[in-house]
Amino acid sequence: MVEVWNLTPEERIMLTFNKDLQAVSTEGGILSRFIGTIARKPHLCPIKYKNWHEVPDQYKEDCWNIIEVIF
């Protein structure tokens, strides 16, 4: 996913969605793998929380902002 992390601000990956609003095609797979890389970064998704609902909103917003910049 290095190539995705290194996209310039002008470059974005356009997603295609099915009727259930699920990301599909090659781009959907890239999104899924990219989110996995975010989840493995302790400064973005700390592992000390046992439940996603316990994670402070700021962490969630930071992750979402990164995703929005790329997709």
Side-chain angles (χ1 to χ4, degrees):
M1 295 281 90
V2 173
E3 63 279 358
V4 176
W5 278 102
N6 290 330
L7 288 175
T8 65
E10 297 80 30
E11 296 177 299
R12 294 186 106 172
I13 298 172
M14 300 305 293
L15 296 171
T16 304
F17 297 92
N18 66 12
K19 64 178 179 59
D20 297 318
L21 298 179
Q22 297 168 322
V24 295
S25 193
T26 304
E27 296 81 10
I30 293 170
L31 172 64
S32 177
R33 290 191 310 274
F34 182 73
I35 290 172
T37 65
I38 290 174
R40 290 189 295 275
K41 294 189 180 294
H43 66 283
L44 294 174
C45 291
I47 61 172
K48 67 181 182 180
Y49 302 100
K50 294 181 182 182
N51 187 314
W52 180 248
H53 300 290
E54 296 173 6
V55 177
D57 287 340
Q58 187 59 52
Y59 286 112
K60 296 175 188 180
E61 289 174 23
D62 291 345
C63 292
W64 181 248
N65 290 335
I66 292 168
I67 293 168
E68 278 190 319
V69 166
I70 296 175
F71 294 89

